């Protein structure tokens, strides 16, 4: 009660403050143009505007001077009132004639308590109680409809009160006295919803439409246990279809979010309380809802040529609803195929939007939903290292297809590129475990050659298989290089990128180089049993690659190649001085430092030749 009183006091204070602000705004805006007789307004009286005939050329300064002289009579406020957010609009609506709204709330409480008290004391019979409540609600409903024509706020409040009274009476007759079948509640709720939506449409009042949809969506809760699931979801389907139709006519996109949320909540609730049976009737209902929201969302985006936040939320919510429905009701042997079908469906939707609108945000949402469904289907079908391999292939194909589509449409920038790179970075993170197992295996193999640890590490080596780990690393590297080659072939001309593609090429080239460098080290140490020789061979290969890229960068003045070469040479130096300097024997250090030193010195001679040729050309 104290909380309710506090709310009322806040509303009263806000109403008082708001009225004062309105008076100040009226005074300010009333003095914008002074010296004009408001009784003679040429715009309101439809006075035609006649262009004066100029007999001779007029100097522009003569026209501007009177305006500058009279500029002091025009007072334009600097700070125009900002548009109110949803909370401010609600508080404004609540503060406007707040005693009426509080009175309606008190009347609802009083009617509820009166009916309860009458039930407890048997003043009225069962049929009389329900009839009295229904008649009272209908009278208030008609009175509100009549009053709304002259005073909209008062009429709408009475409409809500009357509809609530009728629904409470019908639901009480079903739940307490079993006077009607449970389906009657849905029929009455649907009729009242249609009537109230009609009123909201005529008034262009989205707030009344939201309240009406909420009222019609709550009714199935009270008959949830008494009706078959098909009847409840048939009612929800008709309600959702009507809501989408109203949105297409009025543009009240928030109703679509509410409708999708209602279907989602009822799906979760029914599955938790009763559980869906895996039959084709429920599957048909699931696809009916999915296609309803899917088609209407794409049609809305194509019609507007752009998607707002409501449209994006419906697109993403439809994909999540599809996945939840399939997880609950799809037969186990069909689950993967149905989810893949959903992934293809959303991929087709993204392509249609891409071709017809070029709007990036809905494309990203639809592609993200498609990938989400494909990832779930892959996780159901594969386990372990096979799942990782499937993810690598799927993501690589997605990136390559996106590059071809981007080339076809001539996009200068594509947000899906960033999305793909983020996913590839996630796969790189998951592959760290594979890298660790391989390096641990090499470390055990090294200690197995020692006479002190040979028995312990020999047993461990017999139980470890790194074949699948090597497959994952090899596949990550080769797919990254394939993406790099495709991007260069499609978007590079005369060694220059066409469009904003350089970051993508650099990313996948670096990823491919990382795995290639790692695989060189692993393969040399697997093939050659002597660790010193394997390490020297690896460092020599790294140095040769670094020298090649560094020299190519100097010759072609290519900064990226020089950076790659510098990184490889830096890795070799780091390894020599911080690891091999202490671990190698004297002969190994002599060979390693001599060969690497000769290769480092060769870069200077190659660079000098390059400079002479450039000077001669100039």
């Amino acid at each position: 009660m104290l909380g309710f009183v506090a709310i009322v006091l806040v509303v009263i204070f806000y109403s008082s403050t708001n009225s004062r602000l309105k008076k100040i705004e009226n005074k300010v805006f009333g003095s914008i143009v002074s010296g004009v007789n408001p009784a003679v307004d040429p715009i309101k009286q439809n006075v035609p505007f006649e262009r004066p005939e100029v007999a001779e050329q007029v100097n522009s300064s003569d026209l501007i001077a009177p305006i500058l002289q009279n500029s002091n009579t025009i007072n334009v406020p600097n700070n125009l009132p900002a548009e109110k957010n949803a909370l401010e609009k609600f508080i404004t609506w609540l503060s406007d004639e707040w005693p009426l709204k509080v009175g309606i709330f008190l009347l609802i409480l009083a009617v509820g308590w009166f009916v309860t008290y009458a039930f407890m004391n048997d003043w009225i019979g069962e049929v009389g109680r329900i009839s009295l409540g229904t008649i009272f609600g209908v009278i208030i409903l008609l009175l509100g409809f009549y009053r709304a024509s002259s005073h909209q706020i008062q009429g709408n409040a009475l409409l809500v009160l009357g509809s609530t009274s009728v629904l409470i009476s019908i639901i009480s007759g079903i739940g307490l006295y079993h006077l009607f079948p449970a389906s009657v509640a849905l029929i009455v709720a649907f009729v009242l919803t249609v009537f109230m939506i009609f009123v909201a449409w005529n008034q262009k009042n989205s707030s009344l439409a939201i309240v009406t949809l909420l009222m019609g969506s709550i009714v199935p809760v009270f008959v949830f246990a008494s009706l078959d699931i098909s009847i409840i979801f048939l009612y929800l389907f008709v309600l959702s279809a009507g809501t989408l139709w109203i949105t297409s006519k009025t543009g009240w996109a928030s109703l679509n979010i509410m409708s999708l949320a209602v279907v989602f909540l009822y799906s979760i609730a029914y599955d938790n309380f009763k559980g869906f049976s895996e039959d084709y009737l429920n599957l048909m209902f699931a696809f009916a809802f999915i296609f309803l929201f899917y088609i209407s969302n794409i049609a809305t985006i194509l019609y507007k040529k752009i998607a707002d936040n409501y449209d994006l939320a419906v697109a993403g919510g439809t994909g999540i609803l599809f996945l939840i429905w399939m997880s609950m009701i799809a037969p186990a042997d069909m689950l993967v195929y149905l989810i893949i079908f959903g992934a293809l469906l959303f991929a087709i939707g993204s392509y249609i939007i891409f071709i017809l609108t070029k709007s990036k945000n809905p494309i990203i949402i639809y592609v993200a939903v498609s990938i989400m469904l494909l990832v779930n289907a892959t996780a159901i079908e594969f386990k372990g290292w096979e799942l990782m391999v499937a993810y690598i292939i799927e993501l690589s194909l997605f990136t390559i297809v996106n590059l071809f589509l981007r080339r076809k449409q001539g996009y200068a920038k594509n947000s899906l590129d960033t999305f793909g790179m983020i996913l590839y970075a996630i796969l790189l993170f998951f592959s760290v475990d594979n890298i660790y197992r391989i390096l641990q295996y090499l470390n055990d193999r090294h200690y197995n050659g020692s006479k002190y640890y040979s028995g312990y590490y020999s047993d461990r080596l017999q139980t470890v298989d790194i074949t699948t780990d090597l497959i994952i690393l090899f596949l990550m590297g080769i797919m990254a290089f394939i993406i790099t080659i495709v991007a260069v072939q499609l978007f590079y001309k005369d060694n220059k990128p066409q469009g904003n593609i350089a970051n993508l090429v650099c990313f996948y080239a670096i990823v491919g180089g990382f795995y290639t460098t790692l695989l060189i080290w692993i393969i040399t140490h697997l093939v050659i049993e002597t660790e010193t020789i394997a390490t020297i061979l690896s460092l020599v290969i790294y140095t040769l690659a670094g020298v090649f890229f560094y020299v190519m960068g100097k010759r072609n003045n290519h900064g990226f190649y020089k950076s790659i070469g510098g990184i490889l040479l830096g890795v070799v130096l780091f390894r020599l001085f911080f690891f091999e300097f202490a671990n190698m024997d004297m002969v190994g250090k002599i060979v390693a430092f001599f060969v690497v030193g000769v290769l480092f010195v060769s870069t200077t001679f190659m660079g000098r030749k390059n400079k002479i040729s450039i000077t001669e050309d100039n």
Side-chain angles (χ1 to χ4, degrees):
M1 180 61 69
L2 292 177
F4 177 73
V5 172
I7 292 174
V8 172
L9 292 177
V10 169
V11 172
I12 294 173
F13 174 77
Y14 181 85
S15 176
S16 176
T17 307
N18 190 44
S19 62
R20 295 174 185 175
L21 290 175
K22 285 184 177 179
K23 291 180 181 179
I24 295 174
E25 290 177 359
N26 292 333
K27 290 182 180 180
V28 172
F29 286 99
S31 60
I32 291 179
V33 180
S34 60
V36 179
N37 187 4
V40 183
D41 192 346
I43 298 178
K44 294 183 179 179
Q45 297 185 8
N46 298 323
V47 177
F49 177 77
E50 297 182 358
R51 182 182 300 273
E53 298 182 358
V54 182
E56 57 184 4
Q57 186 170 356
V58 180
N59 190 0
S60 60
S61 60
D62 296 336
L63 296 175
I64 299 175
I67 298 176
L68 296 177
Q69 292 175 1
N70 298 326
S71 61
N72 57 352
T73 63
I74 300 177
N75 300 320
V76 180
N78 293 326
N79 299 323
L80 295 177
E83 185 179 357
K84 299 180 180 179
N85 56 31
L87 179 61
E88 292 176 342
K89 289 180 180 179
F90 174 75
I91 295 177
T92 303
W93 172 83
L94 195 62
S95 63
D96 190 6
E97 297 196 18
W98 65 267
L100 170 67
K101 299 177 178 63
V102 174
I104 293 296
F105 176 71
L106 296 177
L107 285 176
I108 293 175
L109 293 178
V111 170
W113 290 334
F114 172 76
V115 173
T116 303
Y117 190 76
F119 290 171
M120 294 172 59
N121 292 275
D122 292 329
W123 289 356
I124 307 172
E126 297 177 355
V127 178
R129 298 169 187 174
I130 303 304
S131 301
L132 182 63
T134 304
I135 294 172
F136 171 78
V138 171
I139 293 175
I140 296 297
L141 189 67
L142 295 176
L143 181 62
F145 179 73
Y146 173 77
R147 183 60 177 167
S149 60
S150 58
H151 201 292
Q152 183 175 328
I153 296 178
Q154 295 178 1
N156 292 343
L158 294 176
L159 284 171
V160 174
L161 175 61
S163 301
T164 306
S165 300
V166 172
L167 289 176
I168 290 175
S169 301
I170 297 299
I171 292 172
S172 300
I174 295 172
L176 296 177
Y177 307 114
H178 306 288
L179 299 178
F180 319 107
S183 57
V184 173
L186 300 182
I187 296 174
V188 173
F190 178 75
V191 173
L192 289 175
T193 301
V194 171
F195 174 74
M196 296 281 286
I197 287 291
F198 173 75
V199 175
W201 189 4
N202 286 336
Q203 295 179 0
K204 296 180 175 57
N205 190 343
S206 60
S207 299
L208 182 60
I210 293 174
V211 173
T212 302
L213 180 59
L214 184 63
M215 178 185 66
S217 302
I218 290 177
V219 173
V221 173
F222 301 98
V223 294
F224 208 68
S226 305
L227 288 175
D228 185 72
I229 182 63
S230 59
I231 297 177
I232 292 176
F233 279 95
L234 178 61
Y235 169 81
L236 293 176
F237 180 82
V238 175
L239 191 66
S240 300
T243 302
L244 295 174
W245 183 80
I246 288 295
T247 302
S248 66
K249 297 296 182 181
T250 60
W252 298 335
S254 58
L255 297 180
N256 292 349
I257 299 291
M258 287 187 60
S259 180
L260 183 64
V262 167
V263 175
F264 174 80
L265 293 176
Y266 273 105
S267 302
I268 298 297
Y270 192 85
D271 186 64
N272 289 332
F273 284 106
K274 287 189 174 183
F276 286 96
S277 59
E278 295 181 356
D279 55 21
Y280 289 100
L281 179 61
N282 292 332
L283 200 60
M284 289 174 58
F285 266 113
F287 276 101
F289 277 105
I290 295 302
F291 278 109
L292 177 66
F293 289 108
Y294 173 82
I295 294 174
S296 64
N297 185 251
I298 290 182
T300 301
I301 295 173
L302 295 180
Y303 176 77
K304 297 191 300 184
K305 301 296 183 182
I306 194 173
D308 54 24
N309 293 332
Y310 292 112
D311 299 326
L312 299 178
V314 171
T318 304
I320 296 174
L321 181 64
F322 175 82
L323 182 60
I324 292 176
W325 271 96
M326 295 301 104
S327 301
M328 291 188 302
I329 65 176
D333 56 341
M334 297 178 58
L335 178 59
V336 174
Y337 303 104
L338 291 175
I339 294 178
I340 292 176
F341 171 76
L344 293 175
L345 190 67
F346 278 87
I348 293 172
S350 66
Y351 182 74
I352 293 174
I353 297 172
F354 178 77
I355 293 297
L356 298 180
T357 67
K358 306 295 189 300
S359 182
K360 293 186 293 185
N361 291 335
I363 295 172
I364 294 174
I365 292 295
Y366 272 84
V367 170
V369 170
S370 180
I371 293 176
M372 175 195 70
L373 295 175
L374 191 60
V375 166
N376 279 272
T378 306
I380 295 172
E381 187 67 20
F382 300 101
K383 302 296 180 184
W385 71 275
E386 297 176 349
L387 178 62
M388 186 69 175
V389 170
Y391 282 158
I392 295 171
I393 295 174
E394 289 173 355
L395 182 56
S396 302
L397 291 177
F398 159 74
T399 305
I400 293 172
V401 171
N402 178 55
L403 289 175
F404 276 100
L405 292 177
R406 178 178 173 183
R407 172 64 176 176
K408 182 179 179 181
Q409 296 299 321
Y411 262 12
K413 188 176 181 181
N414 194 337
S415 300
L416 293 179
D417 293 340
T418 305
F419 183 66
M421 287 189 286
I422 292 173
L423 294 180
Y424 220 90
I426 294 174
L427 291 181
L428 192 151
F429 174 77
F430 286 151
S431 69
V432 171
D433 190 45
N434 305 100
I435 298 172
Y436 174 78
R437 280 198 296 268
I438 295 175
L439 296 180
Q440 186 66 39
Y441 177 85
L442 295 177
N443 183 65
D444 294 345
R445 183 178 176 179
H446 167 69
Y447 282 109
N448 186 46
S450 173
K451 61 181 180 180
Y452 299 104
Y453 304 102
S454 59
Y456 171 72
Y457 286 101
S458 178
D459 295 336
R460 287 186 56 177
L461 289 173
Q462 293 177 0
T463 60
V464 176
D465 184 12
I466 61 171
T467 305
T468 57
D469 301 310
L470 288 172
I471 292 174
I472 290 174
L473 298 189
F474 177 78
L475 196 60
M476 286 286 290
I478 196 66
M479 296 307 293
F481 276 132
I482 290 175
I483 294 172
T484 304
I485 294 171
V486 171
V488 170
Q489 292 294 325
L490 292 177
F491 292 94
Y492 273 70
K493 185 177 181 180
D494 298 330
N495 293 327
K496 294 182 180 179
Q498 305 296 314
N500 190 8
I501 199 68
N503 293 334
L504 182 141
V505 172
C506 291
F507 173 81
Y508 286 104
I510 291 173
V511 171
F514 168 76
Y515 283 103
T516 302
T517 305
L518 196 60
L519 285 170
I520 290 173
W521 180 273
I522 293 170
I523 291 173
T524 53
H525 283 75
L526 286 175
V527 174
I528 303 173
E529 294 186 0
T530 305
E531 185 180 4
T532 301
I533 299 176
T535 301
I536 293 175
L537 180 59
S538 299
L539 294 178
V540 169
I541 294 174
Y542 295 159
T543 306
L544 288 173
V547 169
F548 171 78
F549 281 107
Y550 188 79
V551 172
M552 288 294 293
K554 291 181 68 175
R555 284 184 175 179
N556 301 309
N557 196 22
H558 201 296
F560 180 69
Y561 285 170
K562 290 180 66 176
S563 300
I564 294 296
I567 291 173
L568 288 173
L569 297 178
V571 169
V572 171
L573 291 176
F574 180 81
R575 183 77 193 186
L576 281 176
F577 284 100
F578 288 93
F579 290 92
E580 315 312 335
F581 190 84
N583 296 330
M584 277 188 179
D585 54 16
M586 185 59 66
V587 176
K589 283 191 286 188
I590 292 173
V591 174
F593 277 71
F594 179 79
V595 174
V596 172
V598 169
L599 292 175
F600 268 73
V601 171
S602 67
T603 59
T604 302
F605 294 101
M606 295 178 185
R608 181 177 300 173
K609 181 180 180 181
N610 182 49
K611 291 180 181 178
I612 294 174
S613 63
I614 291 175
T615 304
E616 292 175 353
D617 292 338
N618 292 336

